[in-house]
Amino acid sequence: MTAMSLSNVNKSFGDVKVLRDINIDVEEGEFVVFVGPSGCGKSTLLRIIAGLEDATSGDVHIAGTQVNDTPPSKRGIAMVFQSYALYPHLNVRKNMSLALKQERQSKDVIEARIAKASAMLNLDDYLDRYPSELSGGQRQRVAIGRAIVREPKLFLFDEPLSNLDAALRANTRLEIANLHDALKTSMIYVTHDQTEAMTLADRIVVLRDGRVEQIGTPMELYNNPVNRFVAGFLGSPAMNFIPAGFLNDGDTRTLGLRPEALQISDGGALHGTVQHVEQLGGDTNVIARIKDVQFSARLFGQHAIEQGQTIQFGFNPDQLFYFDNAGARLYDETSARE
Amino acid sequence: MINARGNRLNAAAMHGALIVYTLIALFPVFVILINSFKTRKSIFREPLALPDAESFSLIGYQTVFKQGDFFLYFQNSMIVTVASLFFILLFGAMAAFALAEYRFKGNTIMGLYLALGIMIPIRIGTVAILEMMVATGLVNTLWALILVYTAQGLPLAVFILSEFMRQVSDDLKNAARVDGLSEYAIFFQLVLPLVRPAMATVAVFNMIPIWNDLWFPLILAPAEETKTLTLGSQVFIGQFVTDWNAVLSALSMAILPVLVLYVIFSRQLIRGLTSGAVK
Ligand SMILES: Nc1ncnc2c1ncn2[C@@H]1O[C@H](COP(=O)(O)OP(=O)(O)OP(=O)(O)O)[C@@H](O)[C@H]1O
Ligand SMILES: [Mg+2]
């Protein structure tokens, strides 16, 4: 059964179209990540699923039921917000129990669910504290706990990690992945961080300017992007785009080459001047320039490379992507030569 | 070193300034208090002297309690002030929430219309108000005063409170909606506690003018049983002779309840400021 499905959803604020013709299905137990640049409509889409915003047209189904006119609290969802959104005048325990009290659950049920959630998230020591007495990471865990206790059919996360520092973000990311394994509930997760998307998702939905660009598993999107935008958005460092004419006189297409697909090789097809070298220990990132186009290569291990030297890279032709000038993927790799 | 000393100097200067200001502000109150315990002669002979065995007298208080129904006046003032504040805060906060939270046609116009009252003194409409009160039979009731003071206080209350309510984060309200709180519950249980400091400010701003007002009690409710304290005290101020003992005693007693209300509200104000409210 599909846990959530959107069909032909459009949304406008006044004359501004924010979402156009969105169709997405989320399967039972699936972890789906919406990813896209800032302002592309991710949060708006999530708020439409939650019922905090009405779609201008289109249908939202949750667990098989149409919920277009159902208020947020009756949709069987729980939401975690970017700003935590904890009730500042209630302590952690009361923050978590508020929704259950609204549902008129019995005291025993409330106690049991809080105990379970707080054990899961290591919140036992903080139950009597107020949000202002917690660190950012603890607040985020409370926010997640508040969602868990409701035992929803669908979790919605809106950039839950973006206010945390890098180390804590990696930790909490893992915690969310574990949470999904333990609960097996469907989750929709919004982020503009491609690493979060790649590591967490069963499937990724890439959005741009209110449109769905591509939907697929992380590896499908990485190996087989439908256009230049998706190709450039996923993967870090980002894919290189080089005019094909550099390698092949008269070719007007654009070449896409992942930094990790490049190796140093004498007589390689791609040669440039080294601009900058990032030694990461395990990896070495080389940023080089061919004519006035900058590109990067990610080399495994440590390499002694000097700034300013010329360098030659080779690559496997199978790992080349071709795009036309509008950014669409060209699958016929030999044609388009003029 | 220099920094620490600079800080200490700063702190001393600041405390000095505040102490001087406090003394200046409290001086009239102090003079009223000490003179209310003196005989008429010594009030005029040495207005700044403390009451001693010779000059001490409770004559003022005795007059006040004998003349007129002082406790009734007191009670009337209290009812009018507290009820007006209650309605100002309740309706002001509700209007402010609607203006701050919901997008509807004419939202801005409505906000401007409500704020207009800040600039137009309500006393300009006294005659019309009196006619209305006569027509509705509310003359010489406390309701007349409560309604007028509520109307007088609402514009500023709406203005200040809607500004504060806009600052309560949307995520917080949305989290409450997902948690199943009704719009009323969001208003009463979430937004009101968060804007408590602003509510206290509005209450303090409105309280003193209402308690001290002479104009509307004189015009709308001059009857013996609806007299307020300020109006009641006027009997001691005559055209030719003024019973200063009684006036000073009445004033001294009138200060007390305002003081109590003020302490209650300023507690709220400080608690609100220090609870690290919104974020
Ligand atoms: N209430 C609103 N009124 C008018 N425009 C809005 C409103 N809310 C959002 N928008 C517009 O809709 C677009 C999408 O906003 P949204 O918040 O969904 O972006 P987002 O993808 O979540 O971005 P971010 O990654 O920065 O959070 C933006 O261009 C924004 O300006
Ligand atoms: Mg967003």
Side-chain angles (χ1 to χ4, degrees):
Chain A
M1 194 177 61
T2 49
M4 195 282 308
S5 83
L6 297 170
S7 36
N8 305 317
V9 168
N10 285 279
K11 174 72 186 175
S12 315
F13 288 109
D15 293 337
V16 189
K17 284 201 160 184
V18 179
L19 294 173
R20 300 161 208 249
D21 218 18
I22 307 278
N23 289 288
I24 299 172
D25 289 320
V26 175
E27 298 303 324
E28 193 70 51
E30 206 177 13
F31 197 121
V32 172
V33 174
F34 294 175
V35 65
S38 191
C40 69
K42 306 178 297 286
S43 300
T44 307
L45 191 54
L46 205 65
R47 285 210 302 275
I48 287 174
I49 298 171
L52 296 168
E53 197 91 64
D54 287 327
T56 311
S57 67
D59 287 329
V60 183
H61 289 260
I62 292 177
T65 327
Q66 199 208 46
V67 291
N68 289 13
D69 299 317
T70 313
S73 57
K74 302 261 161 62
R75 291 192 177 197
I77 52 136
M79 188 155 172
V80 176
F81 295 85
Q82 177 175 2
S83 60
Y84 317 126
L86 300 177
Y87 308 120
H89 57 302
L90 300 179
N91 65 20
V92 170
R93 189 190 302 276
K94 286 188 178 149
N95 258 285
M96 297 213 278
S97 62
L98 186 67
L100 298 176
K101 279 187 191 145
Q102 294 296 320
E103 289 172 8
R104 308 202 182 284
Q105 298 280 6
S106 75
K107 264 205 179 113
D108 300 337
V109 174
I110 296 179
E111 290 275 311
R113 291 209 197 161
I114 289 179
K116 193 171 147 207
S118 99
M120 240 178 190
L121 295 162
N122 293 321
L123 286 172
D124 289 339
D125 295 340
Y126 310 114
L127 285 178
D128 294 317
R129 293 219 199 153
Y130 284 86
S132 57
E133 300 162 345
L134 298 174
S135 73
Q138 291 161 347
R139 282 181 213 185
Q140 193 52 276
R141 293 217 299 278
V142 175
I144 294 173
R146 189 173 64 179
I148 292 177
V149 293
R150 304 190 53 203
E151 304 192 342
K153 289 182 279 211
L154 178 65
F155 280 97
L156 306 174
F157 293 92
D158 192 355
E159 307 204 20
L161 307 185
S162 57
N163 282 345
L164 304 179
D165 65 51
L168 204 53
R169 202 178 303 166
N171 261 336
T172 316
R173 196 170 74 204
L174 208 63
E175 253 174 69
I176 291 178
N178 289 337
L179 196 71
H180 181 239
D181 288 342
L183 296 173
K184 302 204 168 24
T185 313
S186 318
M187 296 186 174
I188 298 178
Y189 185 105
V190 163
T191 179
H192 55 240
D193 180 317
Q194 59 92 23
T195 320
E196 274 171 39
M198 296 294 273
T199 51
L200 287 170
D202 293 326
R203 276 195 308 152
I204 296 179
V205 177
V206 182
L207 292 159
R208 175 169 60 153
D209 290 344
R211 272 184 237 271
V212 175
E213 294 283 311
Q214 192 174 1
I215 303 181
T217 65
M219 288 311 110
E220 274 167 20
L221 298 194
Y222 180 86
N223 293 328
N224 206 2
V226 293
N227 57 30
R228 182 175 163 163
F229 175 78
V230 176
F233 198 80
L234 296 177
S236 164
M239 184 185 274
N240 300 304
F241 297 104
I242 298 165
F246 284 11
L247 303 182
N248 222 341
D249 269 345
D251 196 335
T252 57
R253 298 173 297 180
T254 302
L255 288 180
L257 249 182
R258 297 232 175 249
E260 47 273 34
L262 295 173
Q263 298 102 31
I264 295 178
S265 82
D266 291 335
L270 200 61
H271 31 97
T273 317
V274 175
Q275 291 235 297
H276 188 67
V277 183
E278 293 173 346
Q279 299 278 7
L280 300 173
D283 287 333
T284 306
N285 290 338
V286 181
I287 293 104
R289 180 176 281 253
I290 170 168
K291 299 200 183 143
D292 54 352
V293 177
Q294 191 167 295
F295 69 96
S296 60
R298 182 173 174 193
L299 307 172
F300 186 71
Q302 303 179 359
H303 297 261
I305 297 171
E306 298 278 313
Q307 209 168 335
Q309 78 175 72
T310 50
I311 194 165
Q312 297 183 323
F313 290 107
F315 51 87
N316 181 345
D318 290 349
Q319 292 177 312
L320 270 180
F321 296 92
Y322 291 91
F323 302 99
D324 69 12
N325 290 328
R329 174 97 179 268
L330 297 169
Y331 291 94
D332 184 3
E333 281 152 24
T334 49
S335 73
R337 198 167 296 177
E338 284 162 35
Chain B
M1 264 318 273
I2 291 169
N3 225 342
R5 195 166 47 192
N7 274 343
R8 212 170 300 155
L9 268 178
N10 258 345
M14 207 156 67
H15 279 97
L18 288 175
I19 288 168
V20 170
Y21 178 77
T22 311
L23 288 181
I24 293 173
L26 285 182
F27 185 69
V29 180
F30 176 71
V31 173
I32 289 174
L33 268 179
I34 55 173
N35 282 317
S36 71
F37 289 105
K38 294 200 297 209
T39 59
R40 185 179 171 78
K41 254 190 211 143
S42 44
I43 291 178
F44 285 104
R45 201 180 300 139
E46 270 185 300
L48 293 183
L50 289 169
D52 53 27
E54 192 196 334
S55 65
F56 182 81
S57 148
L58 285 175
I59 179 76
Y61 290 91
Q62 281 160 5
T63 323
V64 171
F65 285 119
K66 249 183 282 160
Q67 183 110 32
D69 201 341
F70 193 78
F71 279 111
L72 182 68
Y73 302 161
F74 199 88
Q75 193 186 328
N76 287 340
S77 274
M78 206 65 185
I79 291 174
V80 168
T81 306
V82 170
S84 303
L85 285 183
F86 175 78
F87 288 124
I88 289 172
L89 291 178
L90 179 71
F91 296 136
M94 285 171 130
F97 184 69
L99 286 176
E101 183 62 17
Y102 304 120
R103 275 172 277 161
F104 56 88
K105 263 208 187 103
N107 182 315
T108 326
I109 303 281
M110 191 64 127
L112 283 178
Y113 169 70
L114 285 174
L116 211 62
I118 299 173
M119 287 158 262
I120 301 174
I122 195 171
R123 289 183 187 190
I124 288 178
T126 302
V127 174
I129 290 175
L130 182 58
E131 281 171 354
M132 249 169 14
M133 293 298 171
V134 172
T136 47
L138 286 173
V139 169
N140 281 331
T141 62
L142 294 181
W143 276 111
L145 295 176
I146 294 172
L147 288 176
V148 168
Y149 291 140
T150 306
Q152 172 186 308
L154 274 177
L156 193 64
V158 172
F159 187 72
I160 293 180
L161 292 176
S162 64
E163 234 12 82
F164 272 78
M165 286 185 185
R166 278 197 193 100
Q167 286 166 21
V168 176
S169 97
D170 282 339
D171 277 359
L172 201 58
K173 286 174 277 195
N174 283 338
R177 288 189 182 112
V178 173
D179 274 351
L181 269 65
S182 65
E183 294 298 310
Y184 286 100
I186 290 174
F187 174 69
F188 283 111
Q189 294 174 27
L190 193 62
V191 174
L192 281 195
L194 289 179
V195 297
R196 210 164 49 185
M199 305 267 286
T201 311
V202 170
V204 169
F205 267 124
N206 279 299
M207 178 177 68
I208 314 283
I210 294 176
W211 182 266
N212 286 340
D213 191 34
L214 181 60
W215 180 266
F216 283 114
L218 190 61
I219 293 166
L220 298 178
E224 185 59 27
E225 68 273 17
T226 54
K227 262 186 190 159
T228 60
L229 195 56
T230 323
L231 184 55
S233 310
Q234 300 305 310
V235 296
F236 305 118
I237 302 179
Q239 196 174 353
F240 306 107
V241 276
T242 294
D243 185 345
W244 285 110
N245 296 78
V247 170
L248 293 175
S249 307
L251 284 178
S252 301
M253 286 189 284
I255 292 171
L256 282 175
V258 193
L259 214 61
V260 172
L261 283 180
Y262 182 79
V263 168
I264 294 173
F265 288 130
S266 60
R267 270 267 180 74
Q268 292 296 316
L269 219 152
I270 291 163
R271 201 187 300 162
L273 289 179
T274 51
S275 74
V278 176
K279 195 122 197 230

